[in-house]
Amino acid sequence: MASSSRTQLARMSSMFFIVFLTISPRPSMPFVHNSFNLPVPSSPEETWLYSAIVDSEGAFLLQWTPLEEEIMFRLTVQTTGYISFGLSHTHDLRQADIVVGWVHSGKVYLQDRHAIGHQEPEVDEKQNWVLESGFENETHTILVISRPYDTCDEDDFVITSDTAVVLWGYHPDDPVNPEHSQPRMHYHSSKQGSTNVVLLERGEKELSKNLLAAYVEQWRPAYQYPRVSNTWLLTSQYVEIPAATDTTMWCMFKRPDIAFKHHIVKYEPVIKPGHEEMIQNMMVYECTSLSPEVDQALEDIVDQKTHKCNHGTMKSLTYSCNHVMAAWTKGSKGFSYPDDVGYPLEPNGAKFFMLEIQYRSVDRTVWDAAGLKLLYTPNLRLHDAGILNTGIAPSWKHMVPPRQRVVLSQGHCVGECTKEALPPTGIHVFGALHSTHSLGRKIRVRHLRNDHEMKPITQDINHNPNYTDFRIFRHTRQILPGDHLLTECQYNSMNHGQITLGGNKAHDETCQAFLLYWPKVDLSTCQSTPSLNTVLTSLGVQEMEIDSKPMKISAPASLLGKSLEWRLLNHNWRKQFRFFQSTVSDGQFNPTCHYRGKRVVPELEDINYSPPRIVIPWTARNKCISKQKRHNHFKEKNEPKVAGLHSEKEFMNDSKKQKKPIKIVDAESSDQDHIMMPINRNYGEKGTEIVLSHPPMPVRSQLKEKLWEMEMDLEAEVHKKYRDIYLETVELNNQPENFSDNNGAQYGYHSYSSSWKIKVDLNLFGLTIAAFVSWAVI
């Protein structure tokens, strides 16, 4: 009887809650633009789309929400003095867009400034930041401010999807003369710093909800019963990470025991506190071998101790593990799929999965266990997601010369690959993850269709390899069969004295973009590497003797008997860099087009492709149209109502110097403690258990290891591709050794002949190859 009463009571409670949700009042205007497909909050203090604690002590909380034409910020700082907040491309104070605000005597003050070096920021002539509201209590100061993305003001930072640097600071006291139009800022005892943040297209939503009413508004429009979700933990066992060496570890996992299709909707890193700096990236691959023997071998090593990736016979077992399912790079907090997309996990799909962890060298040997935690659910979403790996395939042929301010590398996804692998309606790219190692500074994926360049699919002109995160696009980008993707990476190697070669290890370099798309297709990798001809020509090598170990250069005469390793270590990059850059940029390449361990177009990788011809290049619109929001236009423009907005706004100007404006609003009631999110002063780790070595091991030793791999790969490729005895003929107006910079001799032009001159000599065992490719001076 008691049980029956409790059941009836529970049903009545559920019905009452649903009725309450149905009749609860709706906000009059949406705060977040509809294109974001987000819950509708009742005021900005209640719900913010993104949040980040920017300082190590947890005293400065940044919250923000992008709108249609502007972006709104909420600054919650543990101080009763002034707050400074800035945006810039670099961590340097110069050319930073800064605002300074404080609360004094019931008024909130805000001043738009810009940095001019290591001194008090100068006040802007145009005050483009809008002071929405603010208040102060006994411990915290809160400011709500907004600004258009582009103010057409040269003193302001243009807010884009590029990685931004947030400059933050606060002081325990208000400025000197806080009510004056020219207040002076304190510098002693102030705390300040900078951190990287992706403001737009941020992959991980961090809704900040503070009031019970906000929770009701979040779920009332589309209430659903709780969804079932499951956790899949893919972490390595504790393994020894040796000191002073980059290490790649991997371990094998088996698919969860599921009877029907599920969707992976979220994953996040699992990293031991203090070990964040030592992990470069983590990848999870599907293993899709059709060989029963390989499957049995993978079954035998599931859940065993972590191994090195290409250790002994394991390389053949992991060859089929090349379809990226999840990707994490340093700086990312994880990834949540959009509400209508999920990554499929099927009982008849991939059975085995490989976790690959790339470690950076550290100062001492440590033991570590790391990986990813995946959340999957039987509640299927509308679209099956896939991940396409584009860019340059990890290879020693990808070279970044030393002591150069700008080095450009390019990877191609050719139209022949997309034509064969994509459906007639194409795929829709909804997000991306950029990946370079320490030298990367810019990255973009260009989109070509019928010799016409379209808007880049993704780009970051302020790329920071130590802070990378997923991007979720506001609008999807469609890639059709036959489209050509060109991934470009720009590097700065001014602080490196030796050449850097491409590869997966932290001291190598890479250029990759992981494109998130729907619907899922079998295509997993669409990349390229410079052809052997292009590489040798860029180094001034004409002929090589391949019967020697290592292979020796036989022409030109100045390099006779030298190895390719010697050439890389002793090349005059200062004089020959322009020739190298133009050769690799305009030279031929070998495409890679794989799906689940197989070639999509079998003969594609054996062809030397030339870069595509772009008839109509894409150009960004440079015309700036300012869309500044003004307080006194709120009612006329029917803007969203913001809590704490008053009509009695004052715009104060100094009577002597009209270029010292301050915006002022009435402070809200100081009894709003419940609105603030709690902040712990001990947030985060005060220190780390390990320290990265600088350099982690002698650069020469790192390069020696890579050059040995290069020799093995070079020998294998030559014997695979060139079984006949031949000699390629080229025409050179000037040998590469004669090329110099602007202070030296004139640059000559190098023409390529596509004909092959076969030379057979049965009395000789030596095989000779000279490889050249056309080039044009940039």
Short mmCIF file of all heavy atoms in Angstrom, two decimals, residues 110-130:
data_model
loop_
_atom_site.label_atom_id
_atom_site.label_comp_id
_atom_site.label_asym_id
_atom_site.label_seq_id
_atom_site.Cartn_x
_atom_site.Cartn_y
_atom_site.Cartn_z
N LEU A 110 34.01 52.90 -17.31
CA LEU A 110 34.71 52.12 -18.33
C LEU A 110 35.42 53.06 -19.28
O LEU A 110 34.86 54.07 -19.71
CB LEU A 110 33.73 51.24 -19.12
CG LEU A 110 34.40 50.25 -20.09
CD1 LEU A 110 34.97 49.06 -19.30
CD2 LEU A 110 33.41 49.75 -21.13
N GLN A 111 36.66 52.72 -19.62
CA GLN A 111 37.45 53.55 -20.52
C GLN A 111 38.11 52.66 -21.57
O GLN A 111 38.77 51.67 -21.25
CB GLN A 111 38.51 54.32 -19.73
CG GLN A 111 38.93 55.62 -20.41
CD GLN A 111 39.67 56.53 -19.44
OE1 GLN A 111 40.45 56.06 -18.63
NE2 GLN A 111 39.44 57.83 -19.53
N ASP A 112 37.90 52.98 -22.85
CA ASP A 112 38.48 52.25 -23.99
C ASP A 112 39.88 52.80 -24.24
O ASP A 112 40.06 54.00 -24.49
CB ASP A 112 37.59 52.45 -25.21
CG ASP A 112 38.01 51.57 -26.37
OD1 ASP A 112 39.06 50.92 -26.28
OD2 ASP A 112 37.30 51.56 -27.40
N ARG A 113 40.87 51.91 -24.22
CA ARG A 113 42.25 52.34 -24.37
C ARG A 113 42.99 51.42 -25.35
O ARG A 113 42.44 50.42 -25.80
CB ARG A 113 42.97 52.33 -23.02
CG ARG A 113 42.37 53.26 -21.97
CD ARG A 113 43.18 53.28 -20.70
NE ARG A 113 42.71 54.28 -19.75
CZ ARG A 113 43.50 55.02 -18.99
NH1 ARG A 113 44.82 54.90 -19.09
NH2 ARG A 113 42.99 55.89 -18.14
N HIS A 114 44.22 51.73 -25.64
CA HIS A 114 45.09 50.84 -26.41
C HIS A 114 46.52 50.97 -25.87
O HIS A 114 46.94 52.03 -25.43
CB HIS A 114 45.05 51.17 -27.90
CG HIS A 114 45.55 52.55 -28.25
ND1 HIS A 114 44.72 53.67 -28.23
CD2 HIS A 114 46.78 53.01 -28.60
CE1 HIS A 114 45.41 54.73 -28.58
NE2 HIS A 114 46.67 54.37 -28.80
N ALA A 115 47.22 49.85 -25.90
CA ALA A 115 48.56 49.80 -25.32
C ALA A 115 49.57 50.46 -26.24
O ALA A 115 49.48 50.38 -27.47
CB ALA A 115 48.96 48.36 -25.06
N ILE A 116 50.55 51.09 -25.64
CA ILE A 116 51.62 51.75 -26.40
C ILE A 116 52.98 51.32 -25.85
O ILE A 116 53.96 52.05 -25.94
CB ILE A 116 51.48 53.28 -26.35
CG1 ILE A 116 51.37 53.77 -24.90
CG2 ILE A 116 50.28 53.74 -27.17
CD1 ILE A 116 51.33 55.28 -24.77
N GLY A 117 53.04 50.13 -25.29
CA GLY A 117 54.30 49.66 -24.70
C GLY A 117 54.10 49.39 -23.22
O GLY A 117 52.97 49.25 -22.73
N HIS A 118 55.18 49.33 -22.48
CA HIS A 118 55.12 49.04 -21.05
C HIS A 118 54.90 50.33 -20.26
O HIS A 118 55.75 50.79 -19.50
CB HIS A 118 56.39 48.34 -20.61
CG HIS A 118 56.55 46.99 -21.23
ND1 HIS A 118 55.88 45.88 -20.79
CD2 HIS A 118 57.30 46.57 -22.29
CE1 HIS A 118 56.21 44.83 -21.52
NE2 HIS A 118 57.06 45.23 -22.44
N GLN A 119 53.74 50.92 -20.47
CA GLN A 119 53.33 52.10 -19.73
C GLN A 119 51.81 52.14 -19.73
O GLN A 119 51.16 51.26 -20.30
CB GLN A 119 53.91 53.38 -20.36
CG GLN A 119 53.60 53.52 -21.84
CD GLN A 119 54.25 54.75 -22.43
OE1 GLN A 119 54.04 55.86 -21.94
NE2 GLN A 119 55.05 54.56 -23.46
N GLU A 120 51.25 53.12 -19.04
CA GLU A 120 49.80 53.18 -18.95
C GLU A 120 49.18 53.28 -20.33
O GLU A 120 49.59 54.10 -21.15
CB GLU A 120 49.39 54.39 -18.10
CG GLU A 120 47.89 54.49 -17.90
CD GLU A 120 47.51 55.61 -16.95
OE1 GLU A 120 48.28 55.86 -16.00
OE2 GLU A 120 46.47 56.22 -17.18
N PRO A 121 48.19 52.41 -20.65
CA PRO A 121 47.56 52.45 -21.99
C PRO A 121 46.95 53.81 -22.29
O PRO A 121 46.44 54.51 -21.40
CB PRO A 121 46.48 51.36 -21.89
CG PRO A 121 46.93 50.47 -20.78
CD PRO A 121 47.64 51.36 -19.80
N GLU A 122 47.02 54.19 -23.53
CA GLU A 122 46.50 55.47 -23.98
C GLU A 122 45.02 55.36 -24.29
O GLU A 122 44.55 54.35 -24.82
CB GLU A 122 47.26 55.93 -25.22
CG GLU A 122 46.89 57.32 -25.69
CD GLU A 122 47.77 57.78 -26.83
OE1 GLU A 122 49.01 57.74 -26.65
OE2 GLU A 122 47.24 58.13 -27.89
N VAL A 123 44.26 56.39 -23.96
CA VAL A 123 42.81 56.40 -24.17
C VAL A 123 42.50 56.60 -25.64
O VAL A 123 43.09 57.46 -26.32
CB VAL A 123 42.14 57.49 -23.32
CG1 VAL A 123 40.64 57.52 -23.55
CG2 VAL A 123 42.45 57.28 -21.85
N ASP A 124 41.59 55.78 -26.18
CA ASP A 124 41.19 55.89 -27.58
C ASP A 124 40.36 57.15 -27.81
O ASP A 124 39.57 57.57 -26.95
CB ASP A 124 40.36 54.68 -28.00
CG ASP A 124 41.20 53.44 -28.20
OD1 ASP A 124 42.42 53.51 -27.94
OD2 ASP A 124 40.65 52.40 -28.59
N GLU A 125 40.50 57.69 -29.02
CA GLU A 125 39.62 58.79 -29.40
C GLU A 125 38.19 58.30 -29.60
O GLU A 125 37.23 58.97 -29.27
CB GLU A 125 40.14 59.44 -30.69
CG GLU A 125 41.49 60.14 -30.53
CD GLU A 125 41.89 60.87 -31.79
OE1 GLU A 125 41.01 61.06 -32.67
OE2 GLU A 125 43.06 61.24 -31.92
N LYS A 126 38.06 57.10 -30.15
CA LYS A 126 36.75 56.48 -30.32
C LYS A 126 36.53 55.47 -29.20
O LYS A 126 37.32 54.55 -29.03
CB LYS A 126 36.65 55.77 -31.67
CG LYS A 126 36.70 56.69 -32.87
CD LYS A 126 36.54 55.87 -34.15
CE LYS A 126 36.58 56.76 -35.39
NZ LYS A 126 36.44 55.95 -36.63
N GLN A 127 35.45 55.64 -28.48
CA GLN A 127 35.11 54.72 -27.38
C GLN A 127 34.13 53.68 -27.92
O GLN A 127 32.92 53.84 -27.87
CB GLN A 127 34.51 55.49 -26.22
CG GLN A 127 35.50 56.43 -25.54
CD GLN A 127 36.55 55.68 -24.75
OE1 GLN A 127 36.25 55.01 -23.76
NE2 GLN A 127 37.80 55.79 -25.15
N ASN A 128 34.69 52.57 -28.45
CA ASN A 128 33.86 51.56 -29.11
C ASN A 128 33.34 50.48 -28.18
O ASN A 128 32.42 49.75 -28.53
CB ASN A 128 34.66 50.91 -30.25
CG ASN A 128 34.99 51.89 -31.35
OD1 ASN A 128 34.12 52.53 -31.91
ND2 ASN A 128 36.28 52.03 -31.66
N TRP A 129 33.95 50.32 -27.01
CA TRP A 129 33.43 49.37 -26.05
C TRP A 129 32.20 49.95 -25.37
O TRP A 129 32.18 51.13 -25.01
CB TRP A 129 34.48 49.02 -25.00
CG TRP A 129 35.54 48.08 -25.50
CD1 TRP A 129 36.72 48.42 -26.09
CD2 TRP A 129 35.52 46.66 -25.44
NE1 TRP A 129 37.44 47.29 -26.41
CE2 TRP A 129 36.73 46.19 -26.02
CE3 TRP A 129 34.61 45.73 -24.96
CZ2 TRP A 129 37.03 44.84 -26.13
CZ3 TRP A 129 34.91 44.39 -25.06
CH2 TRP A 129 36.11 43.95 -25.64
N VAL A 130 31.19 49.13 -25.19
CA VAL A 130 29.94 49.57 -24.56
C VAL A 130 29.85 49.00 -23.15
O VAL A 130 30.04 47.79 -22.95
CB VAL A 130 28.72 49.12 -25.39
CG1 VAL A 130 27.42 49.46 -24.67
CG2 VAL A 130 28.75 49.77 -26.76
#
